[in-house]
Amino acid sequence: MREKCLFDRDWKFFKGDMPPYNDTDDGGRIKTGAYCFGATDLTLDDSDWVSLHLPHDYVLEGEFTYSNEKFKDKNAIPAMESIDNYLVTAGSLPGGIGWYRKKFELLKSEEGKRVYIQLDGIYRDSTVYLNNFHVGHKDSGFTGVVYDVTDFIRFGGENLISVRVDATGHEGWWYNGGGIYRHVWLIKTDSLHIAPGGTFITNYFQRNEGSITAEVNIEIDVVNKYFEEKSFKVISRIYDQENKQVAQVETDASIKTWRDTKVEQKAFIDDAKLWSLENPILYRAVTTIVFADREVDSYETIFGVRSIRFDVNNGFYLNDEPVKIKGVCCHQDHAGVGVAVTDRINEFRMEKLKELGCNAYRSAHNTPTPELLDSCDKLGILVVCENRFFSSSKEDLENLQNMILLNRNHPSIILWSLGNEETSLQFKPEGGRIVRSMKAIVRNLDTTRPVTAANCFWDSENQVHYEDVDTFVDSIKDLDVMGFNYAHEIWDKYHEYMPNQPIVVSEASTMFSTRGGYETDADKSVIYLMDSKTELDHRGELQWKKVAENPYLSGIFVWTGFDYRGEPSPFSWPSVSSQFGILDSCGFPKDFYYYYKAWWSNETVLHIFPHWNWPDKLGEPIDVHCFSNCDVVELFLNGVSLGKKDMQPNWHLSWEAVLYEPGTLTAKGYKGNNPAYECKVETTGSSYRLELLPDRAVIQADGIDVSIITVRILDDQGRVVPTSANLIEFTVEGNGKILGVGNGNPGSHESDKSHDRQAFNGLCQLIVQSNVNSGAITVHAISEGLIATTVKIEAAGIRGLLP
């Protein structure tokens, strides 16, 4: 039977280069099996290499570097995205070359099985060797690859996999990282087996009186690596979330030697439960191959029963119910780990978005890690799955095909995006031809989802914006759904000009801001959300308001959900991080988080800012702002009313020139004439003690799981001191280790791989990872002049032994 083993543990890593530098180095390509030197030499003494577990981002471990003096004043997008300025746009962390090695054994009794190595993501150019053999090379940094390595294995002996990674180049104008930053898997199958990514499940449902019947169609790609024809049976069993079998189908088939074939099945689920945003019900199909009365392979597919469609006048429908898409675009890095985001951190990030009221995610601008899509399936978050490179070259079409094959069973995915802002092609006939070729590839693999692309009305060759709606029509008319990036002033014109093409706003503005920053200071990389001098003109509110009020607009994806390394616009060096995020790079909410939560969620929201610690501004005027979905809000300072204001839908309130005095700002929200909510902002005391708040007190003892700890600096009354910046030191005892630290400061040059971190506006984050032993993990935090604190996390249970 099939075994899929996580292959992440016990790798050796060397930062730098050594032979073989390429696949022809030292005659390695002259004779097969000639790679027995340098990093591919089994006898190489790698004891001084770093021992680590994957995923790993070695670029994050480098030092911030200033480069390209000539671009220091070109700090606005798109000028800063020049290829000459890539280091700044990529977070000012240089790439480089690294080698990974791992030794492993397979039993002699396993000879006869097929053995695959699956690498879910390596940034960027990767060359894989097994024992003395060159296995393969891949240039894409965001697309997984599966290698059949059966013929190169030493069964009953020691094996060596070596991977050279070259991250000196950039595939994107944001922080890319470097290394084997996603999971690696060792897969062992019978020679008669289901191909990797070899099932595709589509379904249709019919509402009956009081129940739903779902028709489930299963396509199975079967591979025969035997040297004779095989006749076999395929059995698919479908299980619900309680693990109860709800359907079964059997099919007889045969396959010639060294061929593959497609088996098609149809099953029915009575009283089916639909996958929805509120109740993301999932089913599990287990497909088994039976040969000579023996089960030889079993393959599991998770899917959901649901329908999607886009209407040109009324937007998006899920299960025939209208849904306004309230989405965010996200890159894939997180504080403390870079692009080597663990499964739990991916889940944590999606939970933060769900709490916000966000119901959709655009993977900008590349295929996301499979575990992120798993989280979206489980939480009920819609996904636009985006291809990295807009091209119809053979290699790029293969990457597109791979994206579809490996991800098409996720019910969360509602759109395939062919690419992003191809500003040198959008107005040329070549762009239209490429769209049609790529769309044909998608249609061959998936007829159930529409195709889009993110289009920006910007000509990069001539550096001008277009306002004519027909400028790009020839290149985008064949998209099933038009994806608009920005350009809100021409959405209506385009809809009138192309009345038969649905529209989604694939990228729109949020509001630049630094978490907890209330005075713009370029030298400190701080920008205040409501600073009139920054000319932000409330674009985020304007664009969401327009989407909310126009049903033909299916929805919006704002840029971005989280801050990310790179693209530090509107600043440049020494700033190293973007400031577009609704949440900072740690996942801490900014003030305008509450704007979106007010209009995207069903919760009552009332939030006022700035903080009220201004000892140098006694008697000076300070504008106070409010995000809320209450009908009326009244503001008080130390119990004295400063007046009631009516809340305009999808907007905000302000009380200008409030004369500062220490004490308490209180906002009271009303719905109708009834008090609905109250919030306070108080003048705090000085920093007094530390507090550690783990997101979970119990984690898996599997060497993978993490606890994400919020670190707060409090006054003597337990209130966060919003201006505190103390340096905090961390130690961990027991069955865990420090994985990384962060604070959300866009100008910080501290290492994310340190055991200390300076708080930023009262907060920082510590990520602690378990080892494979059950028991307590004790975390200590100390800071000079503050009361120290300790928290215990329990590592319990083992998900599975890791090779």
Side-chain angles (χ1 to χ4, degrees), residues 168-197:
T168 54
H170 283 256
E171 194 175 343
W173 54 96
W174 59 91
Y175 177 75
N176 302 141
I180 307 178
Y181 71 95
R182 293 179 180 173
H183 289 312
V184 179
W185 304 88
L186 179 70
I187 303 170
K188 295 177 282 186
T189 73
D190 190 84
S191 291
L192 180 65
H193 61 275
I194 298 168

Tab-separated table of all heavy atoms in Angstrom, residues 168-197:
chain	number	residue	atom	x	y	z
A	168	THR	N	19.907	33.601	-5.995
A	168	THR	CA	20.510	34.898	-6.309
A	168	THR	C	19.607	35.728	-7.201
A	168	THR	O	19.671	36.958	-7.190
A	168	THR	CB	21.873	34.713	-6.998
A	168	THR	OG1	21.704	33.865	-8.149
A	168	THR	CG2	22.869	34.056	-6.059
A	169	GLY	N	18.783	35.093	-7.991
A	169	GLY	CA	17.873	35.813	-8.879
A	169	GLY	C	16.521	36.024	-8.237
A	169	GLY	O	16.195	35.429	-7.196
A	170	HIS	N	15.712	36.884	-8.870
A	170	HIS	CA	14.399	37.199	-8.312
A	170	HIS	C	13.306	36.894	-9.321
A	170	HIS	O	13.397	37.245	-10.482
A	170	HIS	CB	14.330	38.674	-7.881
A	170	HIS	CG	15.026	38.930	-6.587
A	170	HIS	ND1	14.360	39.125	-5.407
A	170	HIS	CD2	16.346	38.997	-6.278
A	170	HIS	CE1	15.234	39.309	-4.429
A	170	HIS	NE2	16.442	39.239	-4.943
A	171	GLU	N	12.279	36.233	-8.830
A	171	GLU	CA	11.127	35.891	-9.648
A	171	GLU	C	9.954	36.814	-9.339
A	171	GLU	O	8.906	36.721	-9.940
A	171	GLU	CB	10.732	34.430	-9.392
A	171	GLU	CG	9.775	33.861	-10.415
A	171	GLU	CD	9.514	32.378	-10.191
A	171	GLU	OE1	10.291	31.721	-9.475
A	171	GLU	OE2	8.533	31.882	-10.746
A	172	GLY	N	10.141	37.687	-8.381
A	172	GLY	CA	9.099	38.626	-8.007
A	172	GLY	C	9.727	39.875	-7.431
A	172	GLY	O	10.900	39.882	-7.051
A	173	TRP	N	8.953	40.937	-7.344
A	173	TRP	CA	9.465	42.222	-6.865
A	173	TRP	C	9.109	42.441	-5.392
A	173	TRP	O	8.880	43.557	-4.945
A	173	TRP	CB	8.896	43.352	-7.731
A	173	TRP	CG	7.407	43.335	-7.826
A	173	TRP	CD1	6.525	44.063	-7.071
A	173	TRP	CD2	6.618	42.537	-8.700
A	173	TRP	NE1	5.230	43.758	-7.422
A	173	TRP	CE2	5.256	42.838	-8.428
A	173	TRP	CE3	6.918	41.602	-9.701
A	173	TRP	CZ2	4.211	42.218	-9.121
A	173	TRP	CZ3	5.869	41.006	-10.377
A	173	TRP	CH2	4.542	41.309	-10.088
A	174	TRP	N	9.036	41.355	-4.666
A	174	TRP	CA	8.797	41.391	-3.227
A	174	TRP	C	9.766	40.404	-2.599
A	174	TRP	O	10.577	39.781	-3.281
A	174	TRP	CB	7.337	40.997	-2.924
A	174	TRP	CG	6.976	39.618	-3.418
A	174	TRP	CD1	7.073	38.450	-2.730
A	174	TRP	CD2	6.509	39.252	-4.736
A	174	TRP	NE1	6.682	37.376	-3.517
A	174	TRP	CE2	6.326	37.857	-4.748
A	174	TRP	CE3	6.217	39.982	-5.895
A	174	TRP	CZ2	5.879	37.173	-5.877
A	174	TRP	CZ3	5.764	39.292	-7.009
A	174	TRP	CH2	5.589	37.914	-6.991
A	175	TYR	N	9.710	40.236	-1.292
A	175	TYR	CA	10.622	39.309	-0.625
A	175	TYR	C	10.323	37.882	-1.061
A	175	TYR	O	9.211	37.378	-0.884
A	175	TYR	CB	10.497	39.425	0.898
A	175	TYR	CG	11.375	38.437	1.627
A	175	TYR	CD1	12.748	38.638	1.703
A	175	TYR	CD2	10.844	37.299	2.226
A	175	TYR	CE1	13.562	37.732	2.352
A	175	TYR	CE2	11.649	36.390	2.881
A	175	TYR	CZ	13.009	36.612	2.938
A	175	TYR	OH	13.821	35.706	3.584
A	176	ASN	N	11.330	37.220	-1.628
A	176	ASN	CA	11.160	35.856	-2.145
A	176	ASN	C	11.721	34.785	-1.218
A	176	ASN	O	11.330	33.623	-1.307
A	176	ASN	CB	11.838	35.719	-3.505
A	176	ASN	CG	11.316	36.694	-4.539
A	176	ASN	OD1	12.071	37.233	-5.331
A	176	ASN	ND2	10.025	36.948	-4.550
A	177	GLY	N	12.689	35.160	-0.367
A	177	GLY	CA	13.331	34.170	0.476
A	177	GLY	C	14.268	33.282	-0.309
A	177	GLY	O	14.665	33.591	-1.440
A	178	GLY	N	14.622	32.149	0.274
A	178	GLY	CA	15.508	31.214	-0.402
A	178	GLY	C	15.630	29.922	0.370
A	178	GLY	O	15.731	29.925	1.599
A	179	GLY	N	15.619	28.789	-0.353
A	179	GLY	CA	15.787	27.502	0.297
A	179	GLY	C	14.628	26.562	0.032
A	179	GLY	O	13.716	26.857	-0.741
A	180	ILE	N	14.673	25.396	0.680
A	180	ILE	CA	13.550	24.446	0.618
A	180	ILE	C	12.548	24.913	1.663
A	180	ILE	O	12.631	24.558	2.837
A	180	ILE	CB	14.017	22.999	0.885
A	180	ILE	CG1	15.186	22.622	-0.038
A	180	ILE	CG2	12.859	22.026	0.665
A	180	ILE	CD1	15.726	21.223	0.191
A	181	TYR	N	11.619	25.743	1.243
A	181	TYR	CA	10.777	26.463	2.190
A	181	TYR	C	9.378	25.862	2.343
A	181	TYR	O	8.561	26.388	3.100
A	181	TYR	CB	10.676	27.932	1.778
A	181	TYR	CG	9.864	28.194	0.544
A	181	TYR	CD1	8.517	28.550	0.641
A	181	TYR	CD2	10.416	28.088	-0.730
A	181	TYR	CE1	7.760	28.792	-0.482
A	181	TYR	CE2	9.669	28.335	-1.860
A	181	TYR	CZ	8.342	28.682	-1.731
A	181	TYR	OH	7.579	28.920	-2.857
A	182	ARG	N	9.100	24.787	1.621
A	182	ARG	CA	7.865	24.044	1.819
A	182	ARG	C	8.215	22.580	2.113
A	182	ARG	O	9.373	22.200	2.097
A	182	ARG	CB	6.951	24.164	0.600
A	182	ARG	CG	6.399	25.566	0.369
A	182	ARG	CD	5.506	25.640	-0.861
A	182	ARG	NE	4.991	26.994	-1.077
A	182	ARG	CZ	4.298	27.386	-2.137
A	182	ARG	NH1	4.028	26.512	-3.117
A	182	ARG	NH2	3.869	28.624	-2.250
A	183	HIS	N	7.207	21.771	2.330
A	183	HIS	CA	7.426	20.375	2.725
A	183	HIS	C	8.081	19.561	1.606
A	183	HIS	O	7.925	19.836	0.416
A	183	HIS	CB	6.102	19.705	3.086
A	183	HIS	CG	5.499	20.170	4.373
A	183	HIS	ND1	6.223	20.278	5.539
A	183	HIS	CD2	4.232	20.548	4.679
A	183	HIS	CE1	5.432	20.690	6.511
A	183	HIS	NE2	4.223	20.866	6.004
A	184	VAL	N	8.791	18.530	2.040
A	184	VAL	CA	9.299	17.485	1.150
A	184	VAL	C	8.674	16.161	1.609
A	184	VAL	O	8.551	15.906	2.811
A	184	VAL	CB	10.834	17.397	1.189
A	184	VAL	CG1	11.333	16.279	0.274
A	184	VAL	CG2	11.456	18.733	0.792
A	185	TRP	N	8.288	15.331	0.640
A	185	TRP	CA	7.619	14.058	0.952
A	185	TRP	C	8.342	12.913	0.232
A	185	TRP	O	8.786	13.065	-0.906
A	185	TRP	CB	6.162	14.079	0.493
A	185	TRP	CG	5.367	15.216	1.053
A	185	TRP	CD1	5.243	16.466	0.530
A	185	TRP	CD2	4.595	15.209	2.258
A	185	TRP	NE1	4.431	17.244	1.320
A	185	TRP	CE2	4.021	16.498	2.391
A	185	TRP	CE3	4.322	14.241	3.228
A	185	TRP	CZ2	3.191	16.842	3.458
A	185	TRP	CZ3	3.497	14.583	4.288
A	185	TRP	CH2	2.947	15.864	4.401
A	186	LEU	N	8.423	11.774	0.894
A	186	LEU	CA	8.875	10.523	0.294
A	186	LEU	C	7.632	9.652	0.117
A	186	LEU	O	6.930	9.354	1.083
A	186	LEU	CB	9.891	9.824	1.187
A	186	LEU	CG	10.420	8.485	0.679
A	186	LEU	CD1	11.328	8.691	-0.531
A	186	LEU	CD2	11.164	7.745	1.781
A	187	ILE	N	7.358	9.267	-1.132
A	187	ILE	CA	6.147	8.499	-1.431
A	187	ILE	C	6.553	7.146	-2.007
A	187	ILE	O	7.343	7.079	-2.956
A	187	ILE	CB	5.255	9.257	-2.430
A	187	ILE	CG1	4.901	10.641	-1.877
A	187	ILE	CG2	3.996	8.458	-2.737
A	187	ILE	CD1	4.238	11.552	-2.886
A	188	LYS	N	6.008	6.091	-1.427
A	188	LYS	CA	6.277	4.732	-1.905
A	188	LYS	C	4.958	4.086	-2.312
A	188	LYS	O	3.992	4.099	-1.546
A	188	LYS	CB	6.968	3.913	-0.800
A	188	LYS	CG	8.354	4.430	-0.436
A	188	LYS	CD	8.975	3.644	0.718
A	188	LYS	CE	8.397	4.060	2.054
A	188	LYS	NZ	9.096	3.404	3.193
A	189	THR	N	4.928	3.540	-3.531
A	189	THR	CA	3.695	2.935	-4.037
A	189	THR	C	4.006	1.588	-4.684
A	189	THR	O	5.168	1.264	-4.974
A	189	THR	CB	3.019	3.830	-5.093
A	189	THR	OG1	3.784	3.780	-6.299
A	189	THR	CG2	2.892	5.264	-4.623
A	190	ASP	N	2.944	0.841	-4.950
A	190	ASP	CA	3.048	-0.321	-5.812
A	190	ASP	C	3.316	0.156	-7.237
A	190	ASP	O	3.075	1.323	-7.580
A	190	ASP	CB	1.737	-1.115	-5.768
A	190	ASP	CG	1.852	-2.462	-6.458
A	190	ASP	OD1	2.310	-3.421	-5.809
A	190	ASP	OD2	1.492	-2.538	-7.654
A	191	SER	N	3.811	-0.733	-8.091
A	191	SER	CA	4.044	-0.349	-9.485
A	191	SER	C	2.749	-0.072	-10.239
A	191	SER	O	2.766	0.574	-11.284
A	191	SER	CB	4.840	-1.448	-10.209
A	191	SER	OG	6.158	-1.497	-9.707
A	192	LEU	N	1.637	-0.539	-9.712
A	192	LEU	CA	0.313	-0.191	-10.227
A	192	LEU	C	-0.299	0.772	-9.212
A	192	LEU	O	-0.620	0.392	-8.083
A	192	LEU	CB	-0.558	-1.448	-10.374
A	192	LEU	CG	-1.972	-1.238	-10.914
A	192	LEU	CD1	-1.947	-0.741	-12.351
A	192	LEU	CD2	-2.779	-2.529	-10.807
A	193	HIS	N	-0.453	2.035	-9.594
A	193	HIS	CA	-0.842	3.028	-8.600
A	193	HIS	C	-1.513	4.238	-9.251
A	193	HIS	O	-1.478	4.411	-10.472
A	193	HIS	CB	0.371	3.477	-7.790
A	193	HIS	CG	1.455	4.115	-8.615
A	193	HIS	ND1	2.422	3.388	-9.259
A	193	HIS	CD2	1.703	5.420	-8.938
A	193	HIS	CE1	3.237	4.206	-9.913
A	193	HIS	NE2	2.816	5.443	-9.742
A	194	ILE	N	-2.082	5.059	-8.405
A	194	ILE	CA	-2.692	6.312	-8.843
A	194	ILE	C	-1.598	7.372	-8.939
A	194	ILE	O	-0.754	7.493	-8.050
A	194	ILE	CB	-3.801	6.747	-7.868
A	194	ILE	CG1	-4.901	5.674	-7.860
A	194	ILE	CG2	-4.370	8.109	-8.245
A	194	ILE	CD1	-5.905	5.839	-6.744
A	195	ALA	N	-1.610	8.132	-10.021
A	195	ALA	CA	-0.572	9.127	-10.261
A	195	ALA	C	-0.629	10.231	-9.213
A	195	ALA	O	-1.702	10.523	-8.655
A	195	ALA	CB	-0.731	9.722	-11.656
A	196	PRO	N	0.498	10.874	-8.911
A	196	PRO	CA	0.465	12.045	-8.014
A	196	PRO	C	-0.488	13.104	-8.558
A	196	PRO	O	-0.451	13.444	-9.738
A	196	PRO	CB	1.917	12.535	-8.033
A	196	PRO	CG	2.731	11.325	-8.404
A	196	PRO	CD	1.870	10.534	-9.343
A	197	GLY	N	-1.373	13.601	-7.704
A	197	GLY	CA	-2.396	14.525	-8.171
A	197	GLY	C	-3.365	13.881	-9.127
A	197	GLY	O	-3.975	14.557	-9.963
